[in-house]
Amino acid sequence: MSNELIAHVLSLAASRRAKVLLVGDSSLSYDAIIRIPNYRDDEEGKFIVKVKEDADRVSREAIVDLIVLSRVSNSTPIIVGVNYGDEEMADGVAYKVHGIYAVGIRTFKRILDNEGVKFVKDKGIVRAGVRGQLLRRLREDRGMSLAI
């Protein structure tokens, strides 16, 4: 299943004009480095991806390697999976795994399409994800102020 899942994630990236810069194999800490052209003004749009059916089963050592590799390659580390423990990963939710984000297939599609993650789940607590600059711009466009 693992190779099929990796192939599916890579085909999703290719279908959205993302460039696969490097492909590893499942024995490594990463499976691919993907660059999304014209992603966001404030972000590179380069991701180092680990694909695992159960995102909660990525070892701490693999995640440390993923973080180091992401810094060297100037990319964002991300795990793409189907399940998080016993539950299916929800659409629009990013799960924290040892300090980095894990997302389901549908949420990964959203990221490739430059859409944001709606919620972050960390240790059973779900928080809404808000982009501060966007919120500020929308508030100012409506003539609203935080001043008392």
Side-chain angles (χ1 to χ4, degrees):
M1 175 70 173
S2 180
N3 289 336
E4 293 171 8
L5 190 57
I6 293 168
H8 181 66
V9 167
L10 293 177
S11 70
L12 283 174
S15 72
R16 283 164 171 74
R17 295 192 177 110
K19 296 181 186 333
V20 178
L21 303 176
L22 188 62
V23 177
D25 62 53
S26 58
S27 69
L28 299 174
S29 299
Y30 72 96
D31 291 307
I33 298 178
I34 297 172
R35 183 176 180 279
I36 304 169
N38 305 318
Y39 188 65
R40 287 190 188 138
D41 294 335
D42 60 337
E43 291 185 32
E44 172 72 24
K46 195 161 49 166
F47 297 90
I48 185 161
V49 181
K50 177 67 180 171
V51 180
K52 185 91 168 176
E53 184 151 351
D54 184 350
D56 192 35
R57 291 191 164 223
V58 177
S59 70
R60 183 178 288 272
E61 293 81 17
I63 289 178
V64 168
D65 288 349
L66 203 58
I67 291 169
V68 169
L69 290 168
S70 72
R71 290 187 179 144
V72 170
S73 63
N74 193 27
S75 55
T76 302
I78 191 166
I79 300 167
V80 179
V82 177
N83 299 316
Y84 183 78
D86 294 335
E87 64 181 87
E88 184 178 340
M89 297 178 88
D91 185 21
V93 177
Y95 300 75
K96 277 269 191 121
V97 179
H98 302 295
I100 67 170
Y101 293 110
V103 297
I105 301 288
R106 285 178 276 167
T107 307
F108 185 63
K109 286 181 196 177
R110 288 175 178 267
I111 291 169
L112 291 173
D113 291 336
N114 202 3
E115 297 176 19
V117 173
K118 297 177 187 175
F119 302 99
V120 174
K121 187 171 184 178
D122 185 15
K123 298 177 187 163
I125 299 170
V126 179
R127 293 177 285 127
V130 178
R131 293 194 337 219
Q133 293 292 0
L134 175 62
L135 185 61
R136 179 180 183 180
R137 192 188 78 217
L138 292 172
R139 179 178 46 79
E140 289 173 346
D141 288 350
R142 289 175 176 77
M144 300 169 77
S145 171
L146 292 177
I148 299 178

